[in-house]
Amino acid sequence: MELRLQKFLAESGIASRRKAEQFIVMGKVEVNGKVVTELGTKIDTEKDTVLYENKKVVLKQKLIYIMLHKPEGYVTTVKDQFQRATVIDLLKGVTERVYPVGRLDYDTSGLLLLTNDGDLTYRLTHPKHNIEKTYEAKLFGTPSEQDIIQFRRGVSIDGKKTEPAKLEILQKGEKYSIVHIVIQEGRNRQVRKMCDAIKHPVSQLKRIGTGKLFLNDLEKGKYRYLTEKEIQYLKNL
Ligand code: URA
C-alpha cells in the first residue's frame, strides 16, 4: 500500500499527523537509510523501511469486524483461481485487508464475518469451539419426525457422525419445505450433505446466524460493521 509519510507515521501510532509532519521537517525520519524532510513523500508500506529516531516504524493496523450478507455466486476467498467474484469484491469502501472467518459455499448465501483480527479468526474457526450456526434452507420434500430425531442423534456423512443438530420445520409445501437447521461444526458442505443423508436435498441455503449474531434485515450483498457489544461477545465466546 502506498501512503504519504506523515500518514504512515500517524497510523503507526508515532504521533498525530501534524506532529509527524514536524518530525519529518526536523529530519528525524529516515526512509531506506536516507533522511527525508519533504512532506508528502510517498512510501510503499510493504517495501520501504522507515526509521523514526533510529527505530523501525511499523503500521499499526486498526482492527475491524464486518458482517456481510453474502449473495450466491461469490467465492469465500480473497482471490479466486478462476477469476470468479469474491466476497472481498463486495466490501467497497473498506481499505483494510480483511479475511473471511470460515466459509460459505459458492451457492450458499448469508451471514459471513470478515476481520483482520487474526486471533479472533483463529479462535472462532477452531473446531473445539463449536459455535452454533443457524441456517434457513429450502428442501425438497418435507422431513419427517424421524428425520428430526436423526438430526438430533447425528447423521453419518463422509463416514463420520455429526454432532447433534437441530432441524425445525417452518413451512410445508407440496414440493418444498422451509426449515431452520442449527449445527455446531463446520464441516465441508455439511448442511447439504446432512440433508442429502435424510433424502431431502437442499434447493437453497442461507446462513442466518452465527452464535447470537443474526443477519436480521441486512440486505443481500450489503455489509455493516459490528458494534462494540457484538465484538466483545465474539471475543468472550
Ligand atoms: N453447509 C453447507 O452445506 N454449505 C455452507 O455453505 C455452509 C454450511
Short mmCIF file of all heavy atoms in Angstrom, two decimals, residues 16 32-33 39-40 62 67 69 72-73 98 111 118 121 133 136-137 148 160 162 174 176 178 189 191 206:
data_model
loop_
_atom_site.label_atom_id
_atom_site.label_comp_id
_atom_site.label_asym_id
_atom_site.label_seq_id
_atom_site.Cartn_x
_atom_site.Cartn_y
_atom_site.Cartn_z
N SER A 16 0.47 12.38 16.08
CA SER A 16 -0.62 12.86 15.22
C SER A 16 0.00 13.22 13.87
O SER A 16 1.23 13.36 13.75
CB SER A 16 -1.25 14.11 15.83
OG SER A 16 -0.30 15.16 15.79
N ASN A 32 14.53 4.13 3.96
CA ASN A 32 15.56 3.30 3.32
C ASN A 32 16.97 3.89 3.52
O ASN A 32 17.75 3.99 2.58
CB ASN A 32 15.27 3.12 1.83
CG ASN A 32 13.92 2.47 1.60
OD1 ASN A 32 13.46 1.67 2.42
ND2 ASN A 32 13.25 2.83 0.52
N GLY A 33 17.24 4.30 4.73
CA GLY A 33 18.59 4.75 5.07
C GLY A 33 18.89 6.20 4.77
O GLY A 33 19.99 6.67 5.03
N LEU A 39 7.69 16.88 2.93
CA LEU A 39 6.36 16.40 3.29
C LEU A 39 5.66 15.83 2.06
O LEU A 39 5.82 16.33 0.96
CB LEU A 39 5.52 17.56 3.86
CG LEU A 39 6.02 18.12 5.18
CD1 LEU A 39 5.16 19.30 5.61
CD2 LEU A 39 6.00 17.05 6.27
N GLY A 40 4.89 14.81 2.28
CA GLY A 40 4.14 14.25 1.17
C GLY A 40 4.88 13.17 0.42
O GLY A 40 4.35 12.59 -0.53
N LYS A 62 -5.63 -1.02 12.31
CA LYS A 62 -6.87 -0.87 13.05
C LYS A 62 -7.63 -2.18 12.87
O LYS A 62 -7.76 -2.67 11.74
CB LYS A 62 -7.65 0.29 12.45
CG LYS A 62 -8.74 0.79 13.33
CD LYS A 62 -9.30 2.08 12.78
CE LYS A 62 -10.67 1.77 12.24
NZ LYS A 62 -11.21 2.68 11.29
N MET A 67 -19.84 -7.69 9.20
CA MET A 67 -20.81 -8.73 8.87
C MET A 67 -21.29 -8.47 7.45
O MET A 67 -21.75 -7.37 7.13
CB MET A 67 -22.02 -8.68 9.81
CG MET A 67 -23.07 -9.74 9.47
SD MET A 67 -24.65 -9.47 10.33
CE MET A 67 -24.23 -9.89 12.01
N HIS A 69 -23.71 -9.85 4.16
CA HIS A 69 -24.75 -10.76 3.67
C HIS A 69 -24.30 -11.21 2.28
O HIS A 69 -24.50 -10.52 1.29
CB HIS A 69 -26.10 -10.04 3.62
CG HIS A 69 -27.23 -10.95 3.26
ND1 HIS A 69 -28.53 -10.65 3.54
CD2 HIS A 69 -27.27 -12.16 2.65
CE1 HIS A 69 -29.33 -11.62 3.10
NE2 HIS A 69 -28.57 -12.55 2.54
N GLU A 72 -25.44 -15.58 -3.32
CA GLU A 72 -24.96 -16.75 -4.04
C GLU A 72 -24.07 -16.25 -5.18
O GLU A 72 -24.23 -15.11 -5.65
CB GLU A 72 -26.13 -17.54 -4.67
CG GLU A 72 -27.14 -18.08 -3.68
CD GLU A 72 -28.24 -17.08 -3.33
OE1 GLU A 72 -28.14 -15.89 -3.67
OE2 GLU A 72 -29.22 -17.52 -2.68
N GLY A 73 -23.16 -17.09 -5.63
CA GLY A 73 -22.36 -16.69 -6.79
C GLY A 73 -21.09 -15.93 -6.45
O GLY A 73 -20.51 -15.28 -7.32
N VAL A 98 -9.02 -7.52 4.97
CA VAL A 98 -9.71 -8.41 5.91
C VAL A 98 -9.85 -9.81 5.31
O VAL A 98 -9.73 -9.98 4.09
CB VAL A 98 -11.12 -7.88 6.28
CG1 VAL A 98 -11.03 -6.64 7.13
CG2 VAL A 98 -11.97 -7.63 5.04
N LEU A 111 -24.90 -14.98 6.24
CA LEU A 111 -24.01 -14.27 7.17
C LEU A 111 -22.56 -14.76 7.10
O LEU A 111 -22.27 -15.92 7.35
CB LEU A 111 -24.55 -14.47 8.59
CG LEU A 111 -24.02 -13.58 9.71
CD1 LEU A 111 -24.94 -13.67 10.92
CD2 LEU A 111 -22.61 -13.88 10.11
N GLY A 118 -6.58 -11.60 13.44
CA GLY A 118 -6.17 -13.00 13.24
C GLY A 118 -6.44 -13.87 14.46
O GLY A 118 -6.83 -15.04 14.31
N THR A 121 -10.17 -14.77 14.47
CA THR A 121 -10.46 -15.72 13.39
C THR A 121 -10.02 -17.12 13.81
O THR A 121 -10.76 -18.09 13.65
CB THR A 121 -9.69 -15.33 12.11
OG1 THR A 121 -10.07 -14.01 11.77
CG2 THR A 121 -10.01 -16.25 10.96
N LYS A 133 -24.25 -22.47 14.36
CA LYS A 133 -24.56 -21.73 13.15
C LYS A 133 -25.97 -22.09 12.72
O LYS A 133 -26.33 -23.27 12.69
CB LYS A 133 -23.55 -22.06 12.05
CG LYS A 133 -22.26 -21.27 12.23
CD LYS A 133 -21.03 -21.96 11.74
CE LYS A 133 -20.72 -23.21 12.44
NZ LYS A 133 -19.49 -23.31 13.18
N GLU A 136 -31.21 -21.21 7.22
CA GLU A 136 -32.56 -21.36 6.71
C GLU A 136 -32.40 -22.06 5.37
O GLU A 136 -31.58 -21.64 4.55
CB GLU A 136 -33.19 -19.98 6.52
CG GLU A 136 -34.65 -20.05 6.19
CD GLU A 136 -35.25 -18.65 6.19
OE1 GLU A 136 -35.37 -18.04 7.26
OE2 GLU A 136 -35.57 -18.19 5.08
N ALA A 137 -33.16 -23.13 5.18
CA ALA A 137 -32.99 -23.91 3.95
C ALA A 137 -34.33 -24.22 3.32
O ALA A 137 -35.35 -24.39 3.99
CB ALA A 137 -32.25 -25.21 4.25
N ILE A 148 -36.06 -35.61 12.00
CA ILE A 148 -35.70 -34.62 13.04
C ILE A 148 -34.91 -35.32 14.15
O ILE A 148 -33.89 -34.81 14.64
CB ILE A 148 -36.98 -33.93 13.58
CG1 ILE A 148 -37.60 -33.09 12.46
CG2 ILE A 148 -36.67 -33.07 14.80
CD1 ILE A 148 -38.96 -32.50 12.77
N LYS A 160 -18.42 -40.24 9.00
CA LYS A 160 -18.31 -39.78 10.39
C LYS A 160 -19.60 -39.11 10.81
O LYS A 160 -20.21 -38.35 10.06
CB LYS A 160 -17.14 -38.79 10.49
CG LYS A 160 -16.74 -38.49 11.90
CD LYS A 160 -15.42 -37.70 11.94
CE LYS A 160 -15.21 -37.11 13.32
NZ LYS A 160 -15.45 -35.69 13.41
N THR A 162 -22.19 -36.68 12.64
CA THR A 162 -22.15 -35.26 13.01
C THR A 162 -22.54 -35.10 14.48
O THR A 162 -23.17 -35.98 15.07
CB THR A 162 -23.16 -34.45 12.16
OG1 THR A 162 -24.47 -35.00 12.37
CG2 THR A 162 -22.83 -34.50 10.70
N GLU A 174 -46.06 -28.27 -1.21
CA GLU A 174 -46.29 -29.51 -1.94
C GLU A 174 -44.99 -30.17 -2.35
O GLU A 174 -44.78 -31.36 -2.20
CB GLU A 174 -47.13 -29.21 -3.18
CG GLU A 174 -48.46 -29.93 -3.13
CD GLU A 174 -49.36 -29.48 -4.25
OE1 GLU A 174 -48.92 -29.57 -5.41
OE2 GLU A 174 -50.48 -29.04 -3.93
N TYR A 176 -41.74 -28.42 -1.76
CA TYR A 176 -40.62 -27.98 -0.91
C TYR A 176 -41.09 -27.72 0.52
O TYR A 176 -42.27 -27.52 0.76
CB TYR A 176 -40.04 -26.66 -1.43
CG TYR A 176 -39.53 -26.70 -2.83
CD1 TYR A 176 -40.28 -26.18 -3.89
CD2 TYR A 176 -38.27 -27.24 -3.10
CE1 TYR A 176 -39.79 -26.19 -5.18
CE2 TYR A 176 -37.77 -27.26 -4.39
CZ TYR A 176 -38.54 -26.74 -5.43
OH TYR A 176 -38.06 -26.75 -6.70
N ILE A 178 -39.65 -25.28 4.06
CA ILE A 178 -38.67 -24.32 4.58
C ILE A 178 -38.33 -24.75 6.01
O ILE A 178 -39.24 -24.98 6.81
CB ILE A 178 -39.23 -22.88 4.60
CG1 ILE A 178 -39.76 -22.47 3.21
CG2 ILE A 178 -38.19 -21.89 5.11
CD1 ILE A 178 -38.70 -22.28 2.15
N ARG A 189 -19.44 -28.56 3.28
CA ARG A 189 -20.80 -28.73 2.75
C ARG A 189 -21.69 -29.54 3.69
O ARG A 189 -22.50 -30.37 3.28
CB ARG A 189 -20.75 -29.37 1.35
CG ARG A 189 -20.09 -28.46 0.32
CD ARG A 189 -20.06 -29.06 -1.06
NE ARG A 189 -21.30 -28.92 -1.79
CZ ARG A 189 -21.69 -27.82 -2.43
NH1 ARG A 189 -20.94 -26.75 -2.42
NH2 ARG A 189 -22.83 -27.78 -3.09
N VAL A 191 -24.29 -28.96 5.79
CA VAL A 191 -25.76 -28.95 5.79
C VAL A 191 -26.29 -29.68 4.55
O VAL A 191 -27.22 -30.48 4.63
CB VAL A 191 -26.29 -27.50 5.86
CG1 VAL A 191 -27.80 -27.47 5.70
CG2 VAL A 191 -25.88 -26.85 7.17
N LYS A 206 -29.16 -20.63 3.18
CA LYS A 206 -28.77 -19.30 3.64
C LYS A 206 -28.40 -19.39 5.12
O LYS A 206 -29.18 -19.92 5.91
CB LYS A 206 -29.97 -18.36 3.46
CG LYS A 206 -29.81 -16.97 4.01
CD LYS A 206 -31.11 -16.23 3.71
CE LYS A 206 -31.18 -14.88 4.35
NZ LYS A 206 -32.49 -14.25 4.11
#
